[in-house]
Amino acid sequence: MNMSDIINYSGNTHELPPRPKFIGWYEETIPIRGCRLDLDGIKELYIELSSINRKFGAGEIAGLVRDPEMSDAEWNGYQEYLLEDAFCLAILIKGENDQQVYGESSEVFESEALPNPIKAIYFDNVKAWRRHAPNVDPQNRIEVYLDFGKPPLLDPTSVLSEPTPNASNVSVRADDMTYFRAVQKVVDDKLLSHRTWYSAIHGSFAYDVGIWLVALPAGLVIATFYMESLLPVGSRLEVYRWAFFIYALGLTVLGYRFVTGYAKWAFPVNVLADNKDRSVRHRVALGGIFAALGYKAFDAVYSLLPF
């Protein structure tokens, strides 16, 4: 059966449905990784995104058809109400023990009910919009999710070559290019400009690079040093030299894995400066571990030099 048969099936002429209209939009999901933030900076981010959203809302409201039964004062009051109620950003702040604080203005950041430490902050312009347009998303949509959680010290289910899990991102989908670019600029200025110096440890293949450039060379040197010191050639236990060497090398690699997990826990992907989680103590302890391991490796290399 060809197309003409379909159109003229049973002797009747059927009209074809109209072709879909062209629809275009701008969309991006921006990962937020390796950033040190504070509540004041996140509040500024919220205020600027709210301003962008309200400017879009003012244009939408200006295009509404006026109810002829409303007076000028009633119509103006209704427009102001819509601007405040439908074009605001809803905020949800979560704590580590499942505490949650919700609001729809920047005053939430000043609340005494904020959990400490804060695990995640989320805000968007969808919830308020849907109060007035159920099951319909706004033409210009913003969603911000900031995750300040920490990975486990040792996770046997994780793939070591993958980046440290963290779902922080800013998602923007806009019909208007100006809106889209404005959101991108605010995200760059308020979030991505606050990079941490250690963010590379959370990237893809960071573990593998450390294994080949640090752990294995250090393990080979340390295992050789202690094999010669504890089990020299000609000694009664000489037969165990290579068994000891392999075991010592394995312990070094295993220790590197623990130290890597400890480092990712003590230096998380994203840091909220307002959280009081005693991370400084752990960072000092971690620095001491690296210093001790570095000294041992240097001492082993120096003792093996022929001069």
Side-chain angles (χ1 to χ4, degrees), residues 269-300:
V269 178
N270 293 320
V271 176
L272 184 64
D274 301 80
N275 283 344
K276 308 299 181 183
D277 58 359
R278 300 180 181 178
S279 292
V280 174
R281 298 181 183 180
H282 293 280
R283 293 172 187 174
V284 171
L286 192 60
I289 292 174
F290 279 119
L293 292 176
Y295 172 77
K296 287 290 185 183
F298 174 80
D299 184 58

Side-chain angles (χ1 to χ4, degrees), residues 43 46-47 91 93 101-114:
K43 179 181 177 181
Y46 174 86
I47 291 173
I91 317 168
I93 299 178
V101 177
Y102 178 87
E104 295 184 354
S105 73
S106 61
E107 295 177 359
V108 173
F109 295 99
E110 309 295 337
S111 172
E112 295 181 357
L114 288 180

Side-chain angles (χ1 to χ4, degrees), residues 112-126:
E112 295 181 357
L114 288 180
N116 190 9
I118 291 173
K119 185 177 181 180
I121 298 176
Y122 175 84
F123 47 89
D124 67 20
N125 66 340
V126 177

